Amino acid sequence: MSQQTFLFNPKINKVLKNINKVMVGKEEPATLSLVALLSGGHVLLEDVPGVGKTMLVRTLAKSLDCEFKRIQFTPDLLPSDVTGVSIYNPKELEFEFRGGPILGNIVLADEINRTSPKTQSSLLEGMEEMSVTVDGNTIPLKKPFFVMATQNPIEYEGTYPLPEAQLDRFLLKLKMGYPSESEELEMLDKTSATHPIESVEPVMDKQELIEIQNQVKEVYIEKNIQRYIVQIVTATRQHPSVYLGVSPRGSIALMRAAKAYAFIHDRDYVVPDDIKYLAPFVLSHRILLTSDAKFEGVTTEELVDRILHTVPVPIRKEYRE
């Protein structure tokens, strides 16, 4: 689905301009990544290697002056490699905690499906609880905290696909896609001497970002639009092609994403078009199709699109109290 055309919030516009200096033709993934970040969610990027997944996260971190950490997931990675470990200090005669990469602000979890479920769960605990447990001690994570996990959709040998319950922890599932010929030519021109990420300067700090996240929570959403979200989600549970529909967590995720999307577009209220645009990105990875639907070549994205065409859009405006 094509992105809506609206004016961006001035502060968000600065961040997107920074990203566009480095990334060519990736306005939609950049905007949707900010939707997840501002709403306190996380992103799963599923695409082939070399399309700019790592560069997008690095540019986002530099633009927001946030601490960037990268975890390269491999089959031998241990949970302590993610969360950190307690090391005995003979001088002080006590154990000291050495934090792992999950204690950054913006964390790239590269090829998350290449590591064991036990290690995956150490990252997912932090995403859900905003804390990690090491040696029985609960350690809070830094704020802001944002995870962008990647996985390669074409190589499954020796991988551990994320179970549906874990996929549900990601607010959005995105794809980068290949650039067009003109975009790739522009990319070659930009990187012929030095890489543009080297000249990226912060346009926002962590405290400003936290304040914006709090402002996003205050964005107004009518009861009619909340009802619209519930009707869409309920339709996924009742559709004959669906084995398992979207959980209530999906309803909450769609509402939170819509609030952030409205804020990004300089509005303090959500409109039905926000829901229609975001629904495929928020709901598709939360749906399990029946074997017959898979055999017929139906995709979850197509199914969400069909549902959006059948659920009536609210047209009656409610006034704020």
Side-chain angles (χ1 to χ4, degrees):
M1 297 180 72
S2 61
Q3 191 177 349
Q4 300 178 54
T5 304
F6 288 113
L7 292 173
F8 287 118
N9 176 284
K11 290 183 179 179
I12 301 303
N13 200 38
K14 290 180 182 178
V15 179
L16 289 172
K17 280 183 177 178
N18 241 15
I19 295 172
N20 288 340
K21 289 178 186 175
V22 179
M23 310 293 298
V24 180
K26 301 301 179 189
E27 291 83 3
E28 185 174 67
T31 304
L32 290 169
S33 298
L34 281 168
V35 166
L37 174 59
L38 297 185
S39 59
H42 308 281
V43 170
L44 178 63
L45 261 176
E46 187 176 79
D47 218 323
V48 295
V51 292
K53 299 187 292 291
T54 302
M55 199 55 60
L56 173 60
V57 192
R58 284 184 60 197
T59 309
L60 188 63
K62 286 194 77 172
S63 299
L64 300 172
D65 199 22
C66 288
E67 186 180 3
F68 171 72
K69 297 287 186 179
R70 183 176 185 270
I71 311 170
Q72 181 64 55
F73 282 90
T74 56
D76 61 346
L77 198 75
L78 299 174
S80 58
D81 295 327
V82 175
T83 60
V85 65
S86 295
I87 299 174
Y88 185 71
N89 184 337
K91 187 177 179 180
E92 302 293 333
L93 300 178
E94 60 183 16
F95 283 92
E96 293 179 350
F97 175 69
R98 302 287 175 87
I102 199 172
L103 296 181
N105 295 121
I106 293 181
V107 179
L108 172 64
D110 210 6
E111 296 191 290
I112 190 174
N113 57 331
R114 290 206 175 277
T115 196
S116 67
K118 186 176 182 180
T119 305
Q120 289 173 357
S121 65
S122 64
L123 175 71
L124 293 161
E125 178 199 354
M127 290 167 53
E128 186 69 15
E129 309 295 337
M130 280 297 294
S131 63
V132 291
T133 304
V134 179
D135 297 333
N137 298 315
T138 300
I139 299 154
L141 299 180
K142 295 178 181 178
K143 292 183 180 181
F145 177 67
F146 173 64
V147 172
M148 187 173 282
T150 72
Q151 59 180 13
N152 187 342
I154 60 170
E155 291 179 5
Y156 289 105
E157 188 175 347
T159 63
Y160 303 85
L162 289 172
E164 285 66 34
Q166 294 184 0
L167 282 173
D168 203 33
R169 304 289 175 92
F170 291 95
L171 186 83
L172 305 172
K173 183 180 178 183
L174 308 178
K175 294 180 181 178
M176 298 286 284
Y178 285 119
S180 65
E181 187 175 321
S182 60
E183 289 169 348
E184 198 156 355
L185 281 170
E186 186 182 344
M187 197 182 304
L188 293 180
D189 186 53
K190 278 188 171 184
T191 57
S192 60
T194 57
H195 201 286
I197 196 170
E198 302 302 329
S199 61
V200 169
E201 295 291 335
V203 293
M204 190 186 297
D205 60 34
K206 287 181 275 191
Q207 191 54 45
E208 282 182 285
L209 177 56
I210 292 170
E211 288 171 7
I212 288 176
Q213 287 177 327
N214 291 330
Q215 290 172 28
V216 165
K217 294 174 185 176
E218 302 302 318
V219 171
Y220 178 70
I221 180 166
E222 294 179 0
K223 289 289 182 185
N224 274 345
I225 298 179
Q226 290 180 344
R227 194 174 297 111
Y228 181 47
I229 292 172
V230 172
Q231 288 171 346
I232 293 169
V233 168
T234 302
T236 68
R237 300 168 191 163
Q238 298 172 348
H239 199 282
S241 297
V242 175
Y243 173 70
L244 185 66
V246 178
S247 70
R249 182 187 283 159
S251 303
I252 296 169
L254 185 51
M255 180 181 68
R256 285 167 52 198
K259 286 186 171 190
Y261 192 73
F263 182 91
I264 285 172
H265 290 96
D266 213 16
R267 282 183 277 111
D268 65 347
Y269 57 91
V270 175
V271 297
D273 278 350
D274 298 338
I275 307 300
K276 291 184 72 174
Y277 172 69
L278 291 166
F281 302 106
V282 177
L283 304 182
S284 297
H285 62 288
R286 305 172 193 270
I287 295 173
L288 280 181
L289 297 173
T290 62
S291 54
D292 288 344
K294 290 178 184 176
F295 181 75
E296 291 169 5
V298 177
T299 65
T300 53
E301 289 85 0
E302 290 171 348
L303 188 133
V304 172
D305 195 50
R306 290 178 195 173
I307 288 172
L308 290 172
H309 281 87
T310 59
V311 177
V313 179
I315 55 174
R316 179 169 166 266
K317 182 175 177 60
E318 293 179 348
Y319 294 95
R320 307 187 199 187
E321 294 180 359

